[in-house]
Amino acid sequence: MLTGPVSISIAPVSARVDTCELCTTGPESLRSWIVVRHARGGTVQLAVCDRCGAAVRRIIAITGGATPAGPAQVVTRTDAPRATAGGELAAVDLVGAPVLIHKFSDPFVGQGRTQYTVVACGQGRSDGTWIGWLEFVGPAGQNVRRSGRETTQSNREHLVYWATGLEPTYFEGAFSRAS
């Protein structure tokens, strides 16, 4: 546990797709670094997804720029790169609320013989594409496990088509990736 002052900074980086080093979901587009510097030396740097970056910014904002261990600051740059080294556009922000795309009729039997209802969910992005993931809902709506992003489709209709084409064997891998 840190006992001295720390500085928390958020800085943009060229986007890459990997597992978020804060929430461990992935693959996600990682476009920010969270940098924690201890006053007596030492730095921890985490590549984070957009959700974690936004969450840290909110925490810094509601604490008035201070954490329990000392001052915090948000470092921003207006010249942040918006394209990857290959020239592809970086991932864009999610818009709207997540929606149910498809509910599968057959349950998935997980560890301990627990039966899960499987649903495909999705959310639009500001560039018009949609991302999709699977949720495994345990008995009485408890013990929900959500996979990371399983697909990106050009529109909602294509996401529905992707979901309705999934076979039960796909669920085994998605379940093991779900948390």
Side-chain angles (χ1 to χ4, degrees), residues 8-179:
I8 300 173
S9 304
I10 302 174
V13 295
S14 294
R16 68 172 192 197
V17 176
D18 205 344
T19 300
C20 176
E21 294 176 340
L22 190 58
C23 69
T24 68
T25 60
E28 295 285 337
S29 179
L30 308 179
R31 298 190 294 167
S32 298
W33 288 111
I34 303 296
V35 182
V36 180
R37 290 182 186 89
H38 194 275
R40 292 182 296 188
T43 300
V44 176
Q45 184 169 292
L46 304 168
V48 298
C49 65
D50 291 343
R51 287 183 306 278
C52 287
V56 170
R57 282 184 177 89
R58 285 192 299 272
I59 290 168
I60 291 170
I62 64 172
T63 61
T67 66
Q73 61 180 344
V74 178
V75 177
T76 59
R77 289 189 355 221
T78 57
D79 60 342
R82 296 298 298 159
T84 63
E88 297 175 298
L89 290 177
V92 293
D93 296 326
L94 298 173
V95 295
V99 296
L100 175 69
I101 297 296
H102 183 73
K103 182 177 179 180
F104 296 89
S105 56
D106 294 330
F108 173 78
V109 180
Q111 301 161 336
R113 299 250 184 244
T114 302
Q115 289 194 356
Y116 292 87
T117 301
V118 183
V119 295
C121 297
Q123 190 167 7
R125 297 177 6 168
S126 60
D127 66 355
T129 61
W130 280 70
I131 63 166
W133 63 89
L134 295 178
E135 292 183 0
F136 299 85
V137 183
Q142 298 177 347
N143 195 19
V144 176
R145 294 178 61 151
R146 178 184 174 201
S147 73
R149 180 185 319 179
E150 296 287 333
T151 188
T152 302
Q153 299 292 328
S154 58
N155 57 46
R156 183 176 176 163
E157 292 75 27
H158 290 163
L159 183 60
V160 170
Y161 181 79
W162 168 82
T164 58
L166 294 178
E167 297 289 331
T169 55
Y170 186 89
F171 300 152
E172 293 172 19
F175 186 81
S176 67
R177 293 185 295 276
S179 56

